[in-house]
Amino acid sequence: MRKVITYGTYDLLHYGHIRLLERAKALGDYLIVGVTADDFDKTRGKINVRQSLEERIFAVMETGLADKIIIEEYEGQKIDDIKRYNIDIFTVGSDWEGVFDYLEEYCKVVYLPRTQGISSTKIRSAESTLRMGLVGYSAFLNKFYRESKYVNSVDVVGLCSTDLQKMEYLKDNLEFATDDYDELLEQVDSVYLHSHPAKHFDECRRALLRGKHVLCESPVAMSKEACDNLLNLAKANGCILMEAIRTAYITAYSRMLLLLKSGRIGNIVSVDATCTSLSNFNSIDYRKRWGSLESWGPTALLPVFQVLGMEYVSKHIFTVRDEFIPEYDLFTKIDFTYPQASASIKVGTGVKSEGELVISGTQGYVYVPAPWWKTDYFELRYENPANNKRYFYQVDGEGIRYELVALANAVRNGKSDYYISSEITREIANIMHDFSEERDQNR
Ligand code: CTP
Protein backbone atom coordinates (compact mmCIF):
# COMPACT_ATOMS: atom_id res chain seq x y z
CA MET A 1 0.00 0.00 0.00
CA ARG A 2 1.38 3.41 -1.01
CA LYS A 3 0.93 5.97 1.74
CA VAL A 4 0.75 9.67 0.92
CA ILE A 5 0.91 12.60 3.34
CA THR A 6 0.11 16.29 2.83
CA TYR A 7 -0.18 19.31 5.12
CA GLY A 8 -2.08 22.59 5.17
CA THR A 9 -4.17 25.07 7.14
CA TYR A 10 -7.34 24.53 5.08
CA ASP A 11 -9.00 27.69 6.32
CA LEU A 12 -12.36 28.36 4.61
CA LEU A 13 -11.91 25.24 2.50
CA HIS A 14 -12.01 26.06 -1.22
CA TYR A 15 -11.75 24.17 -4.52
CA GLY A 16 -7.95 24.75 -4.66
CA HIS A 17 -7.70 22.64 -1.49
CA ILE A 18 -10.07 20.00 -2.82
CA ARG A 19 -8.18 19.68 -6.12
CA LEU A 20 -4.94 19.33 -4.17
CA LEU A 21 -6.41 16.61 -1.93
CA GLU A 22 -7.87 14.75 -4.92
CA ARG A 23 -4.52 14.67 -6.71
CA ALA A 24 -2.69 13.77 -3.50
CA LYS A 25 -5.06 10.87 -2.97
CA ALA A 26 -4.52 9.71 -6.56
CA LEU A 27 -0.76 9.45 -5.93
CA GLY A 28 -1.28 6.43 -3.69
CA ASP A 29 -3.76 4.24 -1.80
CA TYR A 30 -3.95 5.91 1.60
CA LEU A 31 -3.96 9.67 2.28
CA ILE A 32 -2.99 11.30 5.57
CA VAL A 33 -3.78 15.00 5.89
CA GLY A 34 -1.95 17.10 8.47
CA VAL A 35 -3.98 20.12 9.58
CA THR A 36 -1.99 22.88 11.28
CA ALA A 37 -2.77 23.70 14.91
CA ASP A 38 -3.62 27.34 15.71
CA ASP A 39 -0.42 27.90 17.70
CA PHE A 40 1.72 26.42 14.96
CA ASP A 41 0.13 28.73 12.42
CA LYS A 42 0.77 31.72 14.66
CA THR A 43 4.45 30.90 14.97
CA ARG A 44 4.66 30.70 11.17
CA GLY A 45 3.09 34.17 10.95
CA LYS A 46 -0.37 33.01 9.82
CA ILE A 47 -2.46 35.05 12.22
CA ASN A 48 -5.52 35.75 10.10
CA VAL A 49 -6.90 32.22 10.06
CA ARG A 50 -10.68 32.48 10.50
CA GLN A 51 -11.72 28.99 11.46
CA SER A 52 -10.82 27.02 14.54
CA LEU A 53 -8.77 23.84 14.28
CA GLU A 54 -11.94 21.79 14.85
CA GLU A 55 -13.78 23.54 12.02
CA ARG A 56 -10.86 23.09 9.63
CA ILE A 57 -10.49 19.39 10.50
CA PHE A 58 -14.22 18.91 10.02
CA ALA A 59 -14.11 20.56 6.58
CA VAL A 60 -11.26 18.29 5.46
CA MET A 61 -13.10 15.28 6.88
CA GLU A 62 -16.25 16.23 4.96
CA THR A 63 -14.38 16.05 1.63
CA GLY A 64 -14.18 12.30 2.22
CA LEU A 65 -10.69 12.34 0.66
CA ALA A 66 -8.58 11.86 3.81
CA ASP A 67 -8.15 8.36 5.21
CA LYS A 68 -6.62 9.85 8.34
CA ILE A 69 -6.33 13.38 9.70
CA ILE A 70 -3.54 14.41 12.05
CA ILE A 71 -2.67 17.72 13.67
CA GLU A 72 0.59 19.45 12.84
CA GLU A 73 1.83 21.08 16.02
CA TYR A 74 5.55 21.67 15.81
CA GLU A 75 8.44 22.53 13.55
CA GLY A 76 10.13 19.37 12.28
CA GLN A 77 7.07 17.19 12.87
CA LYS A 78 6.93 16.17 9.20
CA ILE A 79 10.03 13.96 9.58
CA ASP A 80 8.52 12.30 12.65
CA ASP A 81 5.22 11.69 10.86
CA ILE A 82 6.87 10.28 7.73
CA LYS A 83 8.79 7.77 9.87
CA ARG A 84 5.91 6.97 12.21
CA TYR A 85 3.36 6.31 9.44
CA ASN A 86 5.81 4.74 6.93
CA ILE A 87 5.02 7.33 4.31
CA ASP A 88 6.00 6.75 0.66
CA ILE A 89 5.10 10.15 -0.78
CA PHE A 90 5.04 13.61 0.71
CA THR A 91 3.13 16.14 -1.38
CA VAL A 92 2.14 19.84 -1.25
CA GLY A 93 1.25 22.55 -3.72
CA SER A 94 3.83 24.15 -6.00
CA ASP A 95 3.84 27.35 -3.89
CA TRP A 96 6.21 25.32 -1.67
CA GLU A 97 8.48 24.21 -4.55
CA GLY A 98 11.93 23.36 -3.17
CA VAL A 99 11.10 24.06 0.48
CA PHE A 100 10.61 20.40 1.40
CA ASP A 101 13.39 18.86 -0.71
CA TYR A 102 15.11 17.91 2.57
CA LEU A 103 12.40 15.28 3.09
CA GLU A 104 13.72 13.31 0.06
CA GLU A 105 16.00 11.59 2.55
CA TYR A 106 12.89 9.90 4.00
CA CYS A 107 10.39 9.54 1.11
CA LYS A 108 9.49 10.78 -2.37
CA VAL A 109 8.58 14.47 -2.53
CA VAL A 110 6.02 15.67 -5.10
CA TYR A 111 5.03 19.31 -5.70
CA LEU A 112 1.59 19.49 -7.34
CA PRO A 113 0.72 22.55 -9.47
CA ARG A 114 -1.25 25.03 -7.39
CA THR A 115 -4.75 25.93 -8.60
CA GLN A 116 -4.68 29.45 -9.97
CA GLY A 117 -6.93 32.27 -8.81
CA ILE A 118 -8.03 31.03 -5.40
CA SER A 119 -6.60 31.04 -1.87
CA SER A 120 -7.83 31.36 1.72
CA THR A 121 -6.20 34.80 1.83
CA LYS A 122 -8.20 35.90 -1.21
CA ILE A 123 -11.48 34.70 0.32
CA ARG A 124 -10.68 36.43 3.62
CA SER A 125 -9.82 39.72 1.98
CA ALA A 126 -12.98 39.63 -0.12
CA GLU A 127 -14.86 39.92 3.18
CA SER A 128 -15.35 43.47 4.34
CA THR A 129 -12.18 45.17 5.48
CA LEU A 130 -12.23 47.70 8.30
CA ARG A 131 -11.03 51.11 7.20
CA MET A 132 -9.16 52.48 10.17
CA GLY A 133 -7.98 55.94 11.13
CA LEU A 134 -5.15 56.62 13.57
CA VAL A 135 -5.39 59.37 16.15
CA GLY A 136 -2.46 60.77 18.13
CA TYR A 137 1.05 62.04 17.73
CA SER A 138 3.54 59.47 18.93
CA ALA A 139 6.10 57.58 16.86
CA PHE A 140 4.36 54.44 18.13
CA LEU A 141 1.78 55.04 15.40
CA ASN A 142 4.42 54.27 12.76
CA LYS A 143 4.97 50.87 14.35
CA PHE A 144 1.21 50.37 14.63
CA TYR A 145 0.80 51.10 10.93
CA ARG A 146 3.58 48.68 9.95
CA GLU A 147 2.05 45.96 12.12
CA SER A 148 -1.40 46.52 10.59
CA LYS A 149 0.04 45.22 7.31
CA TYR A 150 0.02 41.70 8.80
CA VAL A 151 -3.74 41.84 9.36
CA ASN A 152 -5.66 41.53 6.14
CA SER A 153 -9.05 42.51 7.55
CA VAL A 154 -7.87 45.95 8.71
CA ASP A 155 -6.77 48.68 6.36
CA VAL A 156 -5.21 51.72 8.03
CA VAL A 157 -6.05 54.60 5.71
CA GLY A 158 -5.90 57.91 7.58
CA LEU A 159 -4.33 59.91 10.37
CA CYS A 160 -5.59 62.68 12.60
CA SER A 161 -2.90 64.48 14.53
CA THR A 162 -2.15 67.83 16.07
CA ASP A 163 1.49 67.27 15.11
CA LEU A 164 1.17 66.56 11.40
CA GLN A 165 4.49 68.19 10.60
CA LYS A 166 6.26 65.47 12.61
CA MET A 167 4.38 62.57 11.03
CA GLU A 168 6.10 62.41 7.64
CA TYR A 169 6.22 58.62 7.41
CA LEU A 170 2.48 58.19 7.89
CA LYS A 171 1.62 61.14 5.67
CA ASP A 172 3.61 59.48 2.88
CA ASN A 173 1.97 56.10 3.34
CA LEU A 174 -1.66 56.79 4.15
CA GLU A 175 -4.53 57.93 1.92
CA PHE A 176 -5.00 61.11 3.93
CA ALA A 177 -3.87 63.04 7.00
CA THR A 178 -5.78 65.78 8.78
CA ASP A 179 -5.91 67.71 12.04
CA ASP A 180 -9.71 67.63 11.99
CA TYR A 181 -11.11 64.65 13.89
CA ASP A 182 -14.56 64.93 12.29
CA GLU A 183 -12.98 64.79 8.86
CA LEU A 184 -11.18 61.57 9.84
CA LEU A 185 -14.39 60.04 11.23
CA GLU A 186 -16.19 60.75 7.97
CA GLN A 187 -13.78 58.58 6.00
CA VAL A 188 -13.26 55.52 8.21
CA ASP A 189 -15.27 52.80 9.96
CA SER A 190 -12.95 52.46 12.96
CA VAL A 191 -10.37 54.47 14.87
CA TYR A 192 -7.33 53.65 16.95
CA LEU A 193 -6.91 56.29 19.66
CA HIS A 194 -3.41 56.89 20.91
CA SER A 195 -3.95 60.44 22.04
CA HIS A 196 -3.52 61.79 25.58
CA PRO A 197 -5.77 59.97 28.12
CA ALA A 198 -7.55 63.24 28.91
CA LYS A 199 -8.90 63.22 25.33
CA HIS A 200 -10.00 59.58 25.20
CA PHE A 201 -13.54 60.06 26.49
CA ASP A 202 -14.43 62.79 24.05
CA GLU A 203 -12.79 61.05 21.09
CA CYS A 204 -14.41 57.69 21.91
CA ARG A 205 -17.78 59.34 22.33
CA ARG A 206 -17.65 61.22 19.06
CA ALA A 207 -16.59 58.09 17.18
CA LEU A 208 -19.27 55.90 18.77
CA LEU A 209 -21.99 58.51 18.12
CA ARG A 210 -21.14 58.24 14.45
CA GLY A 211 -21.28 54.44 14.55
CA LYS A 212 -17.50 53.90 14.32
CA HIS A 213 -15.71 51.07 16.10
CA VAL A 214 -13.05 52.14 18.58
CA LEU A 215 -9.77 50.62 19.68
CA CYS A 216 -8.57 52.94 22.43
CA GLU A 217 -5.40 52.99 24.48
CA SER A 218 -6.30 52.37 28.08
CA PRO A 219 -7.69 54.08 30.13
CA VAL A 220 -10.68 54.75 27.87
CA ALA A 221 -12.21 57.07 30.47
CA MET A 222 -11.27 58.63 33.78
CA SER A 223 -14.28 57.47 35.83
CA LYS A 224 -16.67 54.55 36.05
CA GLU A 225 -19.58 56.76 35.04
CA ALA A 226 -17.81 58.06 31.95
CA CYS A 227 -16.86 54.50 31.08
CA ASP A 228 -20.47 53.30 31.43
CA ASN A 229 -21.57 56.14 29.23
CA LEU A 230 -19.20 54.92 26.48
CA LEU A 231 -20.05 51.24 26.89
CA ASN A 232 -23.79 52.02 26.66
CA LEU A 233 -23.25 54.20 23.65
CA ALA A 234 -21.26 51.43 21.94
CA LYS A 235 -24.05 48.95 22.64
CA ALA A 236 -26.81 51.28 21.45
CA ASN A 237 -24.99 52.02 18.20
CA GLY A 238 -23.87 48.45 17.50
CA CYS A 239 -20.20 49.39 17.81
CA ILE A 240 -17.18 47.73 19.34
CA LEU A 241 -15.26 49.61 22.03
CA MET A 242 -12.06 47.75 22.77
CA GLU A 243 -9.30 48.63 25.18
CA ALA A 244 -5.82 48.45 23.67
CA ILE A 245 -3.91 46.70 26.43
CA ARG A 246 -1.64 44.65 24.19
CA THR A 247 -0.63 42.17 26.89
CA ALA A 248 -4.18 40.78 26.95
CA TYR A 249 -3.84 39.59 23.36
CA ILE A 250 -0.46 37.88 23.72
CA THR A 251 -0.61 34.07 23.62
CA ALA A 252 1.80 33.40 26.51
CA TYR A 253 -0.17 35.71 28.79
CA SER A 254 -3.55 34.19 27.97
CA ARG A 255 -2.15 30.64 28.31
CA MET A 256 -0.76 31.55 31.72
CA LEU A 257 -4.22 32.72 32.84
CA LEU A 258 -5.72 29.41 31.70
CA LEU A 259 -3.13 27.44 33.69
CA LEU A 260 -3.90 29.51 36.79
CA LYS A 261 -7.64 28.95 36.37
CA SER A 262 -7.02 25.22 36.19
CA GLY A 263 -5.45 25.34 39.65
CA ARG A 264 -1.83 24.62 38.72
CA ILE A 265 -0.43 26.66 41.64
CA GLY A 266 -3.27 26.00 44.07
CA ASN A 267 -5.21 28.88 45.60
CA ILE A 268 -3.82 32.20 44.54
CA VAL A 269 -2.92 34.52 47.40
CA SER A 270 -0.94 37.28 45.78
CA VAL A 271 -0.34 39.04 42.46
CA ASP A 272 2.57 41.46 42.13
CA ALA A 273 3.09 43.32 38.88
CA THR A 274 5.73 45.94 38.13
CA CYS A 275 5.94 48.03 34.96
CA THR A 276 8.40 50.89 34.54
CA SER A 277 10.06 52.78 31.71
CA LEU A 278 12.18 55.88 32.14
CA SER A 279 10.98 58.70 29.92
CA ASN A 280 13.12 61.55 28.77
CA PHE A 281 10.84 64.24 30.12
CA ASN A 282 12.85 67.11 28.69
CA SER A 283 12.02 66.00 25.18
CA ILE A 284 8.29 65.68 25.81
CA ASP A 285 5.97 68.65 25.82
CA TYR A 286 4.54 68.56 29.34
CA ARG A 287 0.92 68.80 28.10
CA LYS A 288 1.43 65.57 26.17
CA ARG A 289 3.07 63.65 28.95
CA TRP A 290 1.34 60.64 30.39
CA GLY A 291 1.66 60.07 34.12
CA SER A 292 3.00 56.76 35.45
CA LEU A 293 -0.42 55.40 36.32
CA GLU A 294 -1.87 56.53 33.00
CA SER A 295 1.01 54.94 31.10
CA TRP A 296 1.34 51.67 32.94
CA GLY A 297 -1.60 51.33 35.35
CA PRO A 298 -4.00 49.50 33.00
CA THR A 299 -1.35 46.94 32.01
CA ALA A 300 -0.28 46.29 35.60
CA LEU A 301 -3.89 46.12 36.82
CA LEU A 302 -4.84 43.58 34.15
CA PRO A 303 -3.43 40.44 35.85
CA VAL A 304 -4.63 41.64 39.26
CA PHE A 305 -8.24 41.93 38.10
CA GLN A 306 -8.15 38.95 35.76
CA VAL A 307 -6.74 36.64 38.43
CA LEU A 308 -8.28 37.95 41.66
CA GLY A 309 -11.36 39.75 40.34
CA MET A 310 -12.53 43.21 41.30
CA GLU A 311 -14.11 42.50 44.69
CA TYR A 312 -11.23 43.85 46.74
CA VAL A 313 -11.92 45.01 50.28
CA SER A 314 -9.62 48.00 50.27
CA LYS A 315 -6.81 49.65 48.37
CA HIS A 316 -4.02 51.98 49.29
CA ILE A 317 -2.22 54.27 46.86
CA PHE A 318 1.28 55.56 47.38
CA THR A 319 2.61 58.01 44.84
CA VAL A 320 5.68 60.15 44.23
CA ARG A 321 4.95 63.29 42.26
CA ASP A 322 7.14 65.28 39.91
CA GLU A 323 8.77 68.15 41.81
CA PHE A 324 7.97 70.77 39.15
CA ILE A 325 4.75 69.45 37.59
CA PRO A 326 2.92 67.83 40.51
CA GLU A 327 0.07 66.46 38.38
CA TYR A 328 2.56 63.89 37.06
CA ASP A 329 3.35 60.87 39.16
CA LEU A 330 6.90 59.63 38.75
CA PHE A 331 6.03 56.44 40.56
CA THR A 332 2.84 54.92 41.95
CA LYS A 333 2.25 51.82 44.00
CA ILE A 334 -1.21 50.45 44.71
CA ASP A 335 -1.84 47.72 47.29
CA PHE A 336 -5.11 45.83 47.17
CA THR A 337 -6.52 43.70 49.97
CA TYR A 338 -8.91 40.90 49.02
CA PRO A 339 -10.71 38.64 51.53
CA GLN A 340 -8.16 35.84 51.01
CA ALA A 341 -5.45 37.50 48.93
CA SER A 342 -3.46 40.63 48.28
CA ALA A 343 -2.07 42.33 45.21
CA SER A 344 0.26 45.16 44.41
CA ILE A 345 1.16 47.08 41.31
CA LYS A 346 4.19 49.32 40.93
CA VAL A 347 4.35 51.63 37.95
CA GLY A 348 6.79 54.35 37.02
CA THR A 349 7.93 56.58 34.21
CA GLY A 350 10.33 58.43 36.51
CA VAL A 351 11.61 55.41 38.44
CA LYS A 352 13.23 52.22 37.20
CA SER A 353 12.59 48.77 38.62
CA GLU A 354 12.50 45.11 37.58
CA GLY A 355 9.47 44.66 35.32
CA GLU A 356 8.39 41.24 36.48
CA LEU A 357 5.13 39.55 37.35
CA VAL A 358 4.88 37.09 40.24
CA ILE A 359 1.68 35.25 41.09
CA SER A 360 1.88 33.19 44.28
CA GLY A 361 -0.29 30.25 45.20
CA THR A 362 -0.57 27.63 47.93
CA GLN A 363 1.23 25.04 45.79
CA GLY A 364 3.66 27.11 43.72
CA TYR A 365 4.08 30.37 41.84
CA VAL A 366 4.18 31.81 38.37
CA TYR A 367 7.22 33.83 37.44
CA VAL A 368 7.15 36.01 34.34
CA PRO A 369 10.47 37.78 33.73
CA ALA A 370 10.84 41.38 32.59
CA PRO A 371 9.34 42.75 30.48
CA TRP A 372 6.39 40.58 31.46
CA TRP A 373 3.84 42.70 29.56
CA LYS A 374 5.23 41.58 26.21
CA THR A 375 6.21 38.14 27.29
CA ASP A 376 6.82 35.05 25.24
CA TYR A 377 7.91 33.05 28.27
CA PHE A 378 6.87 32.15 31.81
CA GLU A 379 7.59 29.52 34.42
CA LEU A 380 5.55 27.58 36.93
CA ARG A 381 7.82 27.06 39.95
CA TYR A 382 7.38 24.64 42.83
CA GLU A 383 9.08 23.73 46.11
CA ASN A 384 10.78 20.87 44.30
CA PRO A 385 12.55 22.50 41.33
CA ALA A 386 12.33 19.20 39.44
CA ASN A 387 8.60 19.92 39.04
CA ASN A 388 9.15 23.37 37.51
CA LYS A 389 7.69 23.92 34.07
CA ARG A 390 8.71 26.42 31.40
CA TYR A 391 6.40 27.71 28.70
CA PHE A 392 7.31 29.55 25.52
CA TYR A 393 4.95 31.02 22.92
CA GLN A 394 6.32 33.22 20.20
CA VAL A 395 5.14 36.81 20.17
CA ASP A 396 5.44 39.03 17.12
CA GLY A 397 5.11 42.78 16.95
CA GLU A 398 4.53 43.29 20.69
CA GLY A 399 0.97 42.04 20.36
CA ILE A 400 -0.23 44.85 18.06
CA ARG A 401 -1.15 42.49 15.24
CA TYR A 402 -3.03 40.13 17.59
CA GLU A 403 -4.92 43.09 19.02
CA LEU A 404 -5.97 44.12 15.50
CA VAL A 405 -7.07 40.58 14.65
CA ALA A 406 -9.10 40.58 17.89
CA LEU A 407 -10.75 43.86 16.89
CA ALA A 408 -11.65 42.53 13.44
CA ASN A 409 -13.08 39.35 15.01
CA ALA A 410 -15.02 41.38 17.57
CA VAL A 411 -16.55 43.50 14.80
CA ARG A 412 -17.44 40.35 12.84
CA ASN A 413 -18.98 38.64 15.89
CA GLY A 414 -20.45 41.78 17.48
CA LYS A 415 -18.79 40.95 20.80
CA SER A 416 -15.80 42.69 22.31
CA ASP A 417 -15.12 41.37 25.78
CA TYR A 418 -13.45 38.08 25.02
CA TYR A 419 -10.02 39.32 26.14
CA ILE A 420 -10.82 42.24 28.45
CA SER A 421 -14.25 42.28 30.07
CA SER A 422 -16.24 45.49 30.30
CA GLU A 423 -16.12 45.12 34.11
CA ILE A 424 -12.33 45.37 33.96
CA THR A 425 -12.53 48.39 31.65
CA ARG A 426 -14.86 50.05 34.20
CA GLU A 427 -12.67 49.19 37.18
CA ILE A 428 -9.56 50.56 35.48
CA ALA A 429 -11.44 53.82 34.89
CA ASN A 430 -12.53 53.77 38.54
CA ILE A 431 -8.93 53.45 39.75
CA MET A 432 -7.92 56.39 37.53
CA HIS A 433 -10.71 58.42 39.07
CA ASP A 434 -9.76 57.58 42.66
CA PHE A 435 -6.15 58.40 41.87
CA SER A 436 -7.00 61.81 40.43
CA GLU A 437 -9.30 62.55 43.37
CA GLU A 438 -6.49 61.48 45.71
CA ARG A 439 -8.69 58.87 47.38
CA ASP A 440 -7.07 56.13 49.50
CA GLN A 441 -3.83 57.96 48.99
CA ASN A 442 -0.93 59.58 50.78
CA ARG A 443 1.97 61.09 48.96
N1 CTP B 1 -3.31 24.88 -2.52
C1 CTP B 1 -3.44 24.69 -3.90
N2 CTP B 1 -4.06 25.63 -4.65
C2 CTP B 1 -4.55 26.76 -4.09
C3 CTP B 1 -4.42 26.97 -2.68
C4 CTP B 1 -3.79 26.00 -1.94
O1 CTP B 1 -3.01 23.67 -4.44
N3 CTP B 1 -5.13 27.67 -4.86
C5 CTP B 1 -2.63 23.88 -1.74
C6 CTP B 1 -1.39 24.39 -1.04
O2 CTP B 1 -0.29 24.41 -1.91
C7 CTP B 1 -1.23 23.41 0.09
C8 CTP B 1 -2.68 23.05 0.43
O3 CTP B 1 -3.48 23.45 -0.68
O4 CTP B 1 -0.58 22.26 -0.36
C9 CTP B 1 -3.14 23.76 1.71
O5 CTP B 1 -2.87 25.14 1.53
P1 CTP B 1 -3.22 26.30 2.55
O6 CTP B 1 -1.97 27.04 2.88
O7 CTP B 1 -4.06 25.79 3.62
O8 CTP B 1 -4.17 27.21 1.59
P2 CTP B 1 -3.98 28.66 0.98
O9 CTP B 1 -5.26 28.97 0.23
O10 CTP B 1 -2.71 28.76 0.19
O11 CTP B 1 -3.93 29.54 2.30
P3 CTP B 1 -3.37 31.02 2.56
O12 CTP B 1 -3.98 31.92 1.52
O13 CTP B 1 -3.82 31.35 3.96
O14 CTP B 1 -1.86 30.95 2.44
Side-chain angles (χ1 to χ4, degrees), residues 111-283:
Y111 299 103
L112 292 166
R114 189 178 159 89
T115 305
Q116 295 306 306
I118 180 89
S119 72
S120 304
T121 307
K122 201 165 170 185
I123 300 175
R124 287 189 295 255
S125 28
E127 289 179 358
S128 62
T129 302
L130 270 186
R131 277 171 65 83
M132 178 177 270
L134 309 180
V135 181
Y137 41 79
S138 126
F140 178 81
L141 290 178
N142 296 345
K143 190 190 267 180
F144 189 91
Y145 169 70
R146 283 193 293 271
E147 280 295 308
S148 73
K149 294 288 163 207
Y150 291 92
V151 183
N152 56 28
S153 40
V154 176
D155 196 7
V156 174
V157 292
L159 165 73
C160 173
S161 181
T162 46
D163 260 349
L164 281 178
Q165 70 286 356
K166 290 191 197 144
M167 312 288 278
E168 288 306 323
Y169 171 76
L170 287 175
K171 276 200 293 191
D172 289 348
N173 282 283
L174 298 177
E175 272 177 33
F176 66 95
T178 174
D179 56 7
D180 179 347
Y181 187 49
D182 287 316
E183 193 186 323
L184 179 94
L185 289 176
E186 234 159 69
Q187 302 186 59
V188 296
D189 11 75
S190 61
V191 283
Y192 166 58
L193 305 179
H194 194 277
S195 43
H196 191 278
K199 291 182 164 183
H200 288 176
F201 176 76
D202 179 56
E203 287 170 349
C204 280
R205 196 167 167 277
R206 285 162 69 191
L208 294 169
L209 278 171
R210 282 175 167 237
K212 314 293 175 181
H213 306 289
V214 177
L215 174 64
C216 180
E217 278 300 317
S218 188
V220 299
M222 298 310 246
S223 76
K224 220 177 212 171
E225 291 68 33
C227 197
D228 279 341
N229 187 314
L230 295 177
L231 289 166
N232 291 337
L233 199 55
K235 201 164 171 197
N237 288 0
C239 296
I240 295 299
L241 169 62
M242 225 176 87
E243 207 159 9
I245 308 177
R246 276 167 288 289
T247 309
Y249 308 94
I250 289 177
T251 312
Y253 177 79
S254 49
R255 291 296 152 85
M256 180 199 72
L257 289 183
L258 292 177
L259 286 178
L260 292 176
K261 298 243 183 287
S262 57
R264 293 289 294 277
I265 58 167
N267 295 333
I268 295 163
V269 293
S270 106
V271 177
D272 299 284
T274 303
C275 302
T276 67
S277 56
L278 277 186
S279 302
N280 179 4
F281 289 139
N282 297 335
S283 71

Side-chain angles (χ1 to χ4, degrees), residues 38-49:
D38 298 335
D39 280 347
F40 185 59
D41 267 329
K42 262 195 201 164
T43 58
R44 338 188 271 151
K46 267 204 182 192
I47 57 165
N48 294 295
V49 176

Side-chain angles (χ1 to χ4, degrees), residues 37 40 43 71-81 84:
F40 185 59
T43 58
I71 299 170
E72 186 183 22
E73 291 176 290
Y74 57 90
E75 188 107 41
Q77 184 183 324
K78 292 184 178 73
I79 297 177
D80 273 351
D81 291 340
R84 182 178 306 135

